[in-house]
């Protein structure tokens, strides 16, 4: 075991207690101790209580020129609705590397949304003896980043409707006079942000009174087409009744009723901007470039056109700093950004990974997680995140479970909240072997990026040796670098030591450079079709709306962006019921939207919703506070 001062020996119990009980049984180290182990001084971070700290981006400037560690991404096979333990495996692997293999390691995870925490899936701090702690703080408010995103998103939404309202009742001259009010000396001037719009319009004048009537109209009247608005309000709660709403019902809004809706906060483009930004200056530019819709003439309208880009950056200025936490065994964790992988790009932030890679240095390891199956999370990690970061991973882990493989082999439906069918609790090697087609497809797709693939089989107590042996054989036959059985849920880092050794070897033995699935200079449709082929599709079918949007984004000059597919996580196809490795299907593209600030085009496959709903019995039934101790109970 490593001699680090902040490593903790776990006393494991069997059967494994509830996640929250394990988390509450361990007293975390003061976060300054974790920071000290990473050679961070108090000048490098701001404390948020005893167990969390925001790491400042100035660390990157100080470490510029120093070497990076190895970069590992954890994806998974196509999951059941219960999840297959990707976060748990990510944490367990890091506990093994840091606490047992004496490696400098940092775990980089997304911040969980409160939607799943109170909805179906529960929290995302890992589980069993492989968790981030304090898990209640991790799963709830953390350091307020998602609240900042919510506030910024909704400020922009308010600015859009307010601008349409005021333009409808005022002349061009009156608009200009109100946008540029006189100072005490009676002189009018443009605010700094207004020069961004003037430059975009090709107007070089610096005084409002010098504008011609035509220029006044161009500058002051955005003339937003209400039917083109793609920007929606957000909140970090699953609420199906907000998917479609009408606004402007009050008498003071003069009949300006419009149909819109809410998304969950983590689906906001501002979340994607946070995850993909590389600096404060870069974030300012990305927030200002976000397109909210078009003018009636068909030109894109941005947050900077509305004059709000600077204010959004102010709301996000602390959120850009990753949050330092710790695992149960005292290894460091950077938590930052939390986009879903099915409706967004599903990866934690570039800045957290860059800071972590410098902190661990050459020979150290940074392990980050990509959401859901490798067809969406890992694909977006490679083709979107690594494109913008310039970072190259050496190893990709694919997490598999016997349970999910049996489902892919033709097992009965797995439903959250219902007991598992007997097929999942008794030995059935043939069912497991049949389901390995899903694993093999993920291995082949991931290997194509030029990384070594290690399969981590997350072992459950009902799995048998014969079933586990079948998965290992299938993984190696499909081209995996190694396949390892892990018991980190039951044993913490000790249960993932073999995985840690395999990952380290895979990193040291990488022979190829990163290869993207598609180049950026091909058309939007060609990129979509390249991704569809990686799923096993024989073709793509575009709705009339999708065709129209693709034509518009191409005309507006956005065709050079990468693609972020919004697709079900439960199948390679658009149909969640199609398990295994379906092929020959036609992938339907219902609509195409653009996150210009974040920097991607996102096609909507089938009937993806950007606002989840609550089930009959949500997780919140189990969550409460022990009022005698102040501790949270029932969080999973």
């Amino acid at each position: 075991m490593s001699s680090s001062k902040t490593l903790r020996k776990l006393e494991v119990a069997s059967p494994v207690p509830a996640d929250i009980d394990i988390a509450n049984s361990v007293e975390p180290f003061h976060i300054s101790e974790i920071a000290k182990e990473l050679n961070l001084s108090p000048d490098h971070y701001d404390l948020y209580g005893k167990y969390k700290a925001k790491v400042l981006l100035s660390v990157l400037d100080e470490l510029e020129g120093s070497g990076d560690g190895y970069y590992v991404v954890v994806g998974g096979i196509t999951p059941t609705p219960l999840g297959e333990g990707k976060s748990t495996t990510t944490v367990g692997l890091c506990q093994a590397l840091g606490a047992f293999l004496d490696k400098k390691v940092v775990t980089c995870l997304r911040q969980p949304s409160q939607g799943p925490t109170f909805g179906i899936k529960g929290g995302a701090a890992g589980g069993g003896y492989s968790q981030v702690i304090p898990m209640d703080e991790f799963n709830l408010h953390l350091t307020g980043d998602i609240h900042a995103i919510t506030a910024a998103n909704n400020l922009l939404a308010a600015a859009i409707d307010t601008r349409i309202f005021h333009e409808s009742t005022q002349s061009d001259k009156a608009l200009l006079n109100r946008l540029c009010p006189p100072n005490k000396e009676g002189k009018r001037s443009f605010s700094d942000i207004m020069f961004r719009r003037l430059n975009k319009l090709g107007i070089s004048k610096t005084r409002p009174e010098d504008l011609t009537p035509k220029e006044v109209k161009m500058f002051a009247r955005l003339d937003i087409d209400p039917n083109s608005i793609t920007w929606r309000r957000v909140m970090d709660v699953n609420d199906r009744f907000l998917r479609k709403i009408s606004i402007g019902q009050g008498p003071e809004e003069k009949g300006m009723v419009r149909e819109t809706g809410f998304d969950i906060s983590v689906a906001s483009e501002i979340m994607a901007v946070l995850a993909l930004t590389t600096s404060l200056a870069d974030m300012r530019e990305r927030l200002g470039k976000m397109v909210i819709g078009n003018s009636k003439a068909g030109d894109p309208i941005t947050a900077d056109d509305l004059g709000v880009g600077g204010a959004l950056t102010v709301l996000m200025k602390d959120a850009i700093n990753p949050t330092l936490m710790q695992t149960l065994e005292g290894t460091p964790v950077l938590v930052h950004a939390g986009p879903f992988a099915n409706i967004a790009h599903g990866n934690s932030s570039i800045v957290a990974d860059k800071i972590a890679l410098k902190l661990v240095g050459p020979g150290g390891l940074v392990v980050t997680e990509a959401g859901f199956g490798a067809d969406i999370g890992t694909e977006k990690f490679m083709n979107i995140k690594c494109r913008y970061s310039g970072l190259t991973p050496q190893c990709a882990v694919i997490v598999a479970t016997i349970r999910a493989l049996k489902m892919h082999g033709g097992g009965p439906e797995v439903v959250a909240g219902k007991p598992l069918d007997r097929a999942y609790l008794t030995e059935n090697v043939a069912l497991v072997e049949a389901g390995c087609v899903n694993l093999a497809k993920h291995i082949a797709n991931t290997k194509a990026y030029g990384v070594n693939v290690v399969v981590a089989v997350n072992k459950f107590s009902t799995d048998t040796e014969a079933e586990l042996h079948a998965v290992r054989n299938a993984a190696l036959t499909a081209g995996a670098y190694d396949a390892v059985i892990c018991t980190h849920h039951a044993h913490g880092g000790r249960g993932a030591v073999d995985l840690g050794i395999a990952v380290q070897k895979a990193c040291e033995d990488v022979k190829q450079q990163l290869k993207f699935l598609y180049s950026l200079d091909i058309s939007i449709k060609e990129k979509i079709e390249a991704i569809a082929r990686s799923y096993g599709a024989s073709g793509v079918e575009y709705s009339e709306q999708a065709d129209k949007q693709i034509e518009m984004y191409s005309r507006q000059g956005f065709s050079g962006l990468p693609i972020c597919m919004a697709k079900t996580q439960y199948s390679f196809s658009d149909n969640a019921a199609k398990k295994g490795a379906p092929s020959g299907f036609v992938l339907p593209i219902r609509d195409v939207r653009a996150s210009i600030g974040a920097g991607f085009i996102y096609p909507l496959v089938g009937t993806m919703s950007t606002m989840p709903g609550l089930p009959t019995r949500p997780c919140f039934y189990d969550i409460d506070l022990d009022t005698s101790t102040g501790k949270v109970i029932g969080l999973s």
Side-chain angles (χ1 to χ4, degrees):
M1 194 144 177
S2 169
S3 58
S4 168
K5 295 186 192 71
T6 62
L7 295 178
R8 182 187 295 106
K9 193 172 189 313
L10 286 178
E11 300 292 334
V12 303
S14 181
V16 179
D19 291 350
I20 187 74
D21 294 336
I22 294 172
N24 284 341
S25 73
V26 171
E27 181 64 30
F29 293 108
H30 195 285
I31 202 64
S32 60
E33 294 297 314
I34 303 291
K36 199 184 294 177
E37 289 291 319
L38 287 170
N39 295 320
L40 290 170
S41 76
D43 292 339
H44 292 138
Y45 57 86
D46 290 334
L47 289 171
Y48 278 64
K50 294 181 195 170
Y51 308 125
K52 301 179 301 238
K54 283 275 198 186
V55 179
L56 306 177
L57 298 195
S58 55
V59 171
L60 266 182
D61 299 328
E62 285 188 34
L63 294 175
E64 193 181 5
S66 62
D68 287 354
Y70 292 120
Y71 194 27
V72 181
V73 61
V74 178
I77 63 169
T78 306
T80 70
L82 308 177
E84 308 321 304
K86 244 185 3 292
S87 302
T88 307
T89 303
T90 304
V91 174
L93 167 59
C94 291
Q95 290 181 170
L97 288 165
F100 290 87
L101 297 172
D102 207 18
K103 290 286 165 190
K104 276 206 109 170
V105 64
V106 173
T107 315
C108 289
L109 292 176
R110 290 174 293 164
Q111 179 184 353
S113 162
Q114 288 177 183
T117 299
F118 293 110
I120 294 177
K121 196 164 170 275
Y129 288 101
S130 295
Q131 292 189 57
V132 180
I133 55 171
M135 73 94 90
D136 56 334
E137 294 184 32
F138 177 86
N139 281 316
L140 298 173
H141 306 288
L142 197 63
T143 46
D145 294 357
I146 293 179
H147 300 318
I149 287 162
T150 304
N153 184 100
N154 294 343
L155 176 63
L156 179 50
I160 295 164
D161 289 300
T162 298
R163 185 59 173 259
I164 295 170
F165 173 78
H166 289 305
E167 285 189 18
S168 72
T169 58
Q170 296 177 50
S171 67
D172 298 342
K173 188 97 167 48
L175 274 172
L176 179 70
N177 288 343
R178 286 188 172 90
L179 287 168
C180 305
N183 62 15
K184 287 176 184 172
E185 286 79 45
K187 290 186 177 175
R188 298 182 186 275
S189 62
F190 294 117
S191 62
D192 287 347
I193 199 169
M194 290 176 178
F195 287 107
R196 291 177 180 246
R197 177 156 177 80
L198 290 164
N199 291 338
K200 176 178 164 180
L201 295 170
I203 299 170
S204 56
K205 293 168 184 174
T206 56
R207 299 190 310 168
E209 58 266 34
D210 293 341
L211 298 186
T212 66
K214 184 184 175 186
E215 289 169 339
V216 169
K217 185 183 184 72
M218 286 167 63
F219 167 73
R221 197 167 291 282
L222 300 182
D223 203 25
I224 297 167
D225 176 3
N227 295 321
S228 75
I229 296 170
T230 52
W231 198 265
R232 289 151 62 94
R233 287 158 174 84
V234 299
M235 64 189 305
D236 199 38
V237 173
N238 290 358
D239 191 345
R240 67 177 67 243
F241 287 94
L242 292 178
R243 288 172 181 167
K244 189 177 274 193
I245 61 167
S246 64
I247 57 170
Q249 299 276 4
E252 292 83 8
E253 280 61 65
K254 301 176 183 171
M256 294 191 63
V257 177
R258 180 170 78 81
E259 199 174 82
T260 180
F262 274 75
D263 294 333
I264 194 157
S265 294
V266 291
S268 169
E269 182 175 351
I270 297 176
M271 175 61 90
V273 166
L274 178 66
L276 291 169
T277 197
T278 52
S279 67
L280 199 55
D282 177 63
M283 183 171 75
R284 169 65 187 90
E285 293 309 307
R286 286 174 181 269
L287 290 171
K289 275 196 259 183
M290 294 187 305
V291 172
I292 59 88
N294 300 323
S295 69
K296 286 172 185 163
D299 299 316
I301 301 294
T302 67
D304 274 345
D305 287 329
L306 284 154
V308 75
L312 300 181
T313 311
V314 169
L315 285 170
M316 294 293 294
K317 73 178 177 64
D318 295 321
I320 197 174
N321 300 314
T323 300
L324 181 65
M325 294 187 76
Q326 63 192 286
T327 66
L328 284 168
E329 298 192 59
T331 61
V333 181
L334 284 176
V335 187
H336 202 212
F340 283 170
N342 53 355
I343 54 178
H345 78 283
N347 283 268
S348 62
S349 78
I350 286 173
V351 292
D353 290 359
K354 285 193 162 187
I355 289 170
L357 285 163
K358 294 295 182 195
L359 291 175
V360 300
L365 293 99
V366 170
V367 183
T368 189
E369 180 208 346
F372 293 126
D375 55 321
I376 45 181
T378 305
E379 183 271 307
K380 293 167 184 177
F381 170 85
M382 301 291 186
N383 291 306
I384 300 176
K385 186 175 179 181
C386 289
R387 239 187 249 273
Y388 283 121
S389 70
L391 299 172
T392 300
Q394 288 75 39
C395 173
V397 176
I398 296 178
V399 178
T401 61
I402 300 294
R403 174 178 71 194
L405 291 168
K406 284 180 174 178
M407 176 190 73
H408 288 297
E413 189 183 5
V414 176
V415 181
K418 288 189 180 175
L420 281 172
D421 187 273
R422 243 185 88 68
Y424 296 103
L425 307 173
T426 53
E427 182 172 285
N428 190 329
V429 176
L431 203 57
V432 173
E433 287 175 336
C436 281
V437 293
N438 184 270
L439 173 61
K441 177 78 171 157
H442 284 296
I443 292 170
N445 280 359
T446 307
K447 268 189 79 175
Y449 293 108
V451 294
N452 283 330
V453 175
V454 174
V455 172
V457 185
N458 185 18
K459 184 179 186 291
F460 291 13
S461 59
T462 51
D463 301 343
T464 69
E465 287 305 312
E467 289 173 332
L468 295 165
H469 184 68
V471 179
R472 179 169 156 74
N473 278 351
L476 295 174
T477 303
Y481 183 86
D482 204 347
V484 185
I485 315 303
C486 311
T487 60
H488 45 275
H489 183 272
H491 301 123
R494 184 163 55 86
V497 167
D498 289 346
L499 177 62
I501 292 168
V503 165
Q504 190 183 330
K505 279 185 186 163
C507 287
E508 291 165 354
D509 197 25
V510 75
K511 295 179 175 69
Q512 299 184 59
Q513 285 300 304
L514 178 62
K515 289 183 289 206
F516 297 121
L517 183 60
Y518 53 83
S519 69
L520 292 182
D521 54 11
I522 60 176
S523 71
I524 292 174
K525 281 193 173 181
E526 286 171 310
K527 288 176 210 169
I528 291 171
E529 283 149 24
I531 298 170
R533 281 194 300 275
S534 79
Y535 299 154
S538 58
V540 177
E541 184 178 78
Y542 301 91
S543 71
E544 193 180 324
Q545 169 70 4
D547 270 330
K548 189 180 91 179
Q549 293 293 98
I550 289 169
E551 190 277 323
M552 180 188 74
Y553 292 134
S554 301
R555 189 181 71 247
Q556 291 175 342
F558 301 136
S559 63
L561 294 173
I563 301 295
C564 181
M565 297 287 241
K567 178 185 83 73
T568 177
Q569 66 269 34
Y570 296 126
S571 173
F572 273 109
S573 74
D574 62 297
N575 180 353
K578 282 188 179 174
K579 304 302 180 186
S583 62
F585 58 90
V586 174
L587 195 74
I589 306 296
R590 175 170 58 89
D591 198 358
V592 177
R593 297 178 190 162
S595 291
I596 302 304
F600 53 73
I601 302 286
Y602 67 103
L604 274 66
V605 180
T607 54
M608 284 305 302
S609 171
T610 46
M611 170 55 91
L614 289 169
T616 306
R617 191 193 186 281
C619 292
F620 61 62
Y621 273 91
D622 299 314
I623 298 169
D624 212 325
L625 197 69
D626 181 334
T627 53
S628 60
T629 64
K631 288 199 167 181
V632 174
I633 51 177
L635 204 56
S636 62

